[in-house]
Amino acid sequence: MTEEAVCVVICKSKRGQAQSIAEEICQQAAEHGFTADISCLSKHDKYNLDSESRPVVFVVSTTGDGDPPDTALKFVRKIKNKSLPHDHLSHLRYALLGLGDTNYANFCNGGKTIDSYLQKLGAKHFYATGHADDGTGLEVVVDPWIEGLWDALKKAFSTMSTSDQQTLSDCTQDSNHQNASDQKKNLEVDLQLLKLSEVDSPKGKTVTSDSIATEIGSTSSVASLKESVPPLSESVLNVPALPPSYLEILLVGTENVEETVLPDKDGYFEVPISKAVQLTQDDAVKTAILLELDISQQEQVYQPGDAFDILCPNRDSEVEELLLKLDLQMQKNCTVQVNLLKNTSKKAAKVPLHIPQNGSLQFILTWCLEIRSTPKKAFLRALVDFTQNASEKRRLLELCSKQGSADYNSFVRDSSVCVLDLLRAFPSCCPPLSLLFEHLPKLQPRAYSAASSSLQHPGKVHLVFNVVEFPARPEHPARKGLCTGWLVDHVSSILEPHGTALASERPGTSALPKVHVRARPSSTFHLPSDPCVPVVMVGPGTGVAPFIGFLQQREKEREANQEATFGEMWLFFGCRHKDKDFLFREELEKFVHNGTLSHLIVCFSRDEPDAAETVNRPTYVQHNLILHAKNLAKILLEDKGCLYVCGDAKNMAKDVNDTLLEIIGNELQLDKLDAMKIVAGLREDKRYLQDIWS
Ligand code: FAD
């Protein structure tokens, strides 16, 4: 096959998902006889769409606000330019894969924005746009989209060679339809067809179907992570191609290794945790903890509404167990040198930037790699070659195969299985360190909203978090969220019980636990610059955090400007029980008392109604919004007020959004579509702002 060239352009986010998908496309391009270059959208000298004759594949991520990431802003400004002629990009043939999360408003908006401006400038799709949802698993769309890309590219090249001018819009079709038909063809053409009778063990021994069937067939009638049932256990499998290895790891010396310390780079500072207070009663369903960080020695300026990133390590016990499973316990203090494997066939191979040279093995596993991340199918495929036991090999192959997709989704992705869970479930699997370094993503910091104002607490910032608990499942033992689980252990020596006054001073700071943090400013989630503008805040549970910052700020501003006029402030708060998890109750009541907070409207979802109550009590914040619909509509539609929503993205933010549509529809007598337009307008004017997380 002759090599046709493709240009892959990525619009990266901080999490690096677009980057790794683009690398996967380049890798697979080579296997399909294409050459592909990756360029970042921000590197304008690396590509030139104005004269690009190769088909272009865009991989575009989206920020939480629905905007394209910073790397795309200049590019978007350029293609938005109204003075460009409508056929400016009519020569361009492209395909676009948008990445997003349906838990957030404006799903895949980064990709949609770029797609629509490219279309307006006359560029043509050679393959239908894909929209992948991180809420349900990017791979559900990404894998079939990439599979379908190759046939579409072949068609694009043949069309381009017969007539450069001919449009390729007839290649464009609904992505599901395209993917289904292309997948079918690709199954026959592109994927490695793996028959049960042809599974090779790593030592080259052929394992017969009979021997595997004896080992796996008889044990169970219920599928699990470890075992399958017919028809999957008897199917011929189509598995992805083996991802090429590209890293070479050297473990050097165990003596005189300098202790590796986290570098104060990327804007992180190590600061003392000057206070930790449990905000909930011991018998509350979730434990909420307030931390006070002493940032007085740093130049960490923040406004209420900003957040802070916390860098947390992987759990010692999990790192130790991983070392044990990899048979590397004795080498944990060795210095790690990471090089590119000579002659690797991986396209655009690079030593990952998040793995430092000469860090100790233990340090890298603790601070650099997200060892709890859910292994992708390519990782499972790579693990097969380092698994001795035939039935374990077969099960890993099933989990990464086309036929085993439902099992992958339920036993790996939805169960949040990590590499350690796999090594426990498949004890004959012992991958080399290089495989983990190639497949584990960078350990990400966790963000927490500032729950204070520096006017009220100079040199300090307060953060509030719920300790996340994951119950035991057949696939893994009970565990806590990585960061919140670490934080609660980390502050155990200074943790003060529920009811401790936040203002009380702790003597001495020498033995305080420390944490690496950096400010994560929000571009929009701040109090309005005009203090007269009325504000509605919706923040159940720990979603109240930024609003405590807003209220502290407003309280100080009111003290300093007693003659000035300030807009009303409404807070809708909710929790399970009035007496167990009503966070910041005293402080909120004080704000009401001194006039900072005009209306505090609370609901308790799990408290029994009083015997005297005759009407249904509101359970969730959205029920209270309905009860105050007239006020809310007036504030937003007549008084040009702002609505802020903070907290759980999965349920609360969606319910609040639906309620807002209902309120606006009812108040203005509009149907849902027109109500949606009004709400979209509020978002655009930055008067409906969300700070939500899942
Ligand atoms: P992780 O270990 O990262 O787990 C988190 C998620 O992974 C779970 O929600 C779940 O989806 C999945 N998961 C992992 N393992 C399992 C499993 N075994 N079973 C099921 N699901 C699993 N949080 C607050 O409490 N307070 C705040 O003020 C706050 N502010 C934020 C501000 C911003 C801008 C953002 C983006 C997030 C904010 N968050 C806040 C969320 C916070 O950053 C963390 O996501 C949260 O604390 C969980 O982190 P963790 O490391 O403990 O959990």
Side-chain angles (χ1 to χ4, degrees), residues 261-470:
V261 286
L262 277 176
D264 277 352
K265 60 168 193 167
D266 295 342
Y268 286 102
F269 291 97
E270 194 178 24
V271 300
I273 302 176
S274 43
K275 196 173 290 182
V277 180
Q278 184 172 316
L279 297 181
T280 43
Q281 293 280 6
D282 289 344
D283 57 350
V285 176
K286 288 186 181 172
T287 304
I289 290 179
L290 175 134
L291 301 183
E292 181 182 80
L293 309 187
D294 182 347
I295 53 172
S296 54
Q297 301 305 307
Q298 322 298 339
E299 283 166 17
Q300 302 256 344
V301 185
Y302 72 95
Q303 293 181 56
D306 291 344
F308 278 75
D309 277 340
I310 289 192
L311 213 52
C312 66
N314 287 308
R315 282 192 102 75
D316 285 347
S317 57
E318 290 173 23
V319 171
E320 285 300 321
E321 194 182 344
L322 196 54
L323 286 163
L324 184 72
K325 297 265 176 214
L326 299 175
D327 208 9
L328 287 170
Q329 250 184 335
M330 304 304 288
Q331 284 104 305
K332 66 181 182 187
N333 293 320
C334 286
T335 302
V336 179
Q337 289 175 6
V338 193
N339 298 309
L340 272 189
L341 204 59
K342 288 193 187 74
N343 308 326
T344 176
S345 58
K346 183 177 165 67
K347 279 269 155 190
K350 278 200 298 247
V351 173
L353 289 174
H354 56 271
I355 305 181
Q357 287 293 357
N358 298 321
S360 78
L361 175 54
Q362 187 166 30
F363 173 83
I364 292 173
L365 291 179
T366 305
W367 288 100
C368 306
L369 300 171
E370 189 94 43
I371 64 173
R372 290 259 191 106
S373 60
T374 302
K376 299 218 163 65
K377 289 181 182 173
F379 192 7
L380 295 180
R381 173 65 193 88
L383 287 174
V384 174
D385 287 19
F386 302 96
T387 305
Q388 300 293 321
N389 178 288
S391 62
E392 291 178 14
K393 255 170 122 70
R394 163 74 194 186
R395 184 59 180 145
L396 285 169
L397 284 166
E398 285 171 357
L399 289 170
C400 67
S401 70
K402 192 95 216 146
Q403 293 74 3
S405 260
D407 275 17
Y408 174 85
N409 292 345
S410 106
F411 301 121
V412 180
R413 198 193 67 205
D414 299 346
S415 309
S416 297
V417 153
C418 63
V419 66
L420 189 54
D421 300 324
L422 287 179
L423 298 182
R424 287 181 189 134
F426 302 99
S428 79
C429 177
C430 187
L433 194 56
S434 55
L435 202 72
L436 268 66
F437 282 26
E438 285 164 1
H439 288 272
L440 291 175
K442 178 183 178 185
L443 180 55
Q444 293 291 338
R446 272 54 170 177
Y448 296 92
S449 308
S452 53
S453 153
S454 52
L455 293 182
Q456 191 96 247
H457 298 279
K460 303 276 167 49
V461 61
H462 292 177
L463 309 177
V464 185
F465 65 91
N466 272 330
V467 181
V468 176
E469 312 253 2
F470 303 116

Side-chain angles (χ1 to χ4, degrees), residues 121-161:
L121 294 174
K124 304 278 182 316
H125 291 124
F126 68 83
Y127 182 42
T129 296
H131 294 132
D133 179 8
D134 207 10
T136 53
L138 290 175
E139 68 283 357
V140 175
V141 168
V142 171
D143 291 354
W145 192 87
I146 298 178
E147 277 174 35
L149 179 64
W150 312 117
D151 270 5
L153 264 174
K154 282 171 203 159
K155 270 190 213 157
F157 276 114
S158 63
T159 316
M160 283 160 95
S161 58

Side-chain angles (χ1 to χ4, degrees), residues 626 629-630 632-634 636-637 656-679 682:
I626 293 276
K630 288 237 168 296
L632 192 65
K634 178 174 177 302
L636 291 179
L637 303 172
V656 167
N657 190 65
D658 290 348
T659 306
L660 183 63
L661 290 173
E662 192 183 322
I663 290 174
I664 289 182
N666 287 343
E667 287 305 311
L668 298 181
Q669 298 294 305
L670 298 174
D671 62 19
K672 192 164 177 190
L673 200 65
D674 287 331
M676 284 166 87
K677 285 186 192 152
I678 303 271
V679 170
L682 290 174

Side-chain angles (χ1 to χ4, degrees), residues 433-662:
L433 194 56
S434 55
L435 202 72
L436 268 66
F437 282 26
E438 285 164 1
H439 288 272
L440 291 175
K442 178 183 178 185
L443 180 55
Q444 293 291 338
R446 272 54 170 177
Y448 296 92
S449 308
S452 53
S453 153
S454 52
L455 293 182
Q456 191 96 247
H457 298 279
K460 303 276 167 49
V461 61
H462 292 177
L463 309 177
V464 185
F465 65 91
N466 272 330
V467 181
V468 176
E469 312 253 2
F470 303 116
R473 301 180 57 115
E475 297 81 14
H476 64 69
R479 54 190 173 219
K480 293 195 168 73
L482 186 69
C483 185
T484 54
W486 174 72
L487 281 171
V488 71
D489 290 349
H490 195 54
V491 301
S492 60
S493 61
I494 61 161
L495 186 63
E496 298 180 50
H498 172 73
T500 310
L502 293 178
S504 66
E505 275 304 318
R506 278 183 61 84
T509 56
S510 57
L512 293 176
K514 292 186 170 173
V515 68
H516 281 86
V517 290
R518 81 177 164 201
R520 175 178 163 141
S522 165
S523 52
T524 52
F525 204 85
H526 296 131
L527 276 169
S529 48
D530 176 357
C532 298
V533 171
V535 162
V536 178
M537 302 169 282
V538 181
T542 50
V544 74
F547 305 134
I548 297 295
F550 281 13
L551 289 161
Q552 290 182 357
Q553 178 96 358
R554 182 55 63 85
E555 184 179 48
K556 282 287 170 193
E557 286 168 356
R558 283 166 54 94
E559 278 170 24
N561 301 291
Q562 296 193 2
E563 306 305 311
T565 312
F566 291 90
E568 282 198 336
M569 293 188 91
W570 291 64
L571 174 65
F572 290 83
F573 176 76
C575 61
R576 287 182 177 78
H577 298 284
K578 186 176 189 173
D579 295 326
K580 294 185 187 176
D581 55 356
F582 188 165
L583 309 182
F584 299 102
R585 180 174 177 174
E586 287 77 25
E587 193 167 358
L588 289 171
E589 287 171 352
K590 182 197 78 181
F591 288 135
V592 175
H593 192 69
N594 67 25
T596 307
L597 183 56
S598 330
H599 303 271
L600 171 62
I601 296 150
V602 293
C603 54
F604 309 102
S605 60
R606 305 258 179 103
D607 276 343
E608 293 295 325
D610 295 340
E613 276 179 301
T614 48
V615 283
N616 279 347
R617 208 196 291 177
T619 316
Y620 297 112
V621 279
Q622 61 271 22
H623 303 145
N624 267 330
L625 292 175
I626 293 276
L627 291 180
H628 295 273
K630 288 237 168 296
N631 294 313
L632 192 65
K634 178 174 177 302
I635 290 171
L636 291 179
L637 303 172
E638 290 176 29
D639 305 341
K640 301 275 177 258
C642 293
L643 171 64
Y644 298 84
V645 180
C646 181
D648 165 47
K650 278 206 172 91
N651 303 307
M652 183 275 295
K654 281 204 179 98
D655 292 340
V656 167
N657 190 65
D658 290 348
T659 306
L660 183 63
L661 290 173
E662 192 183 322

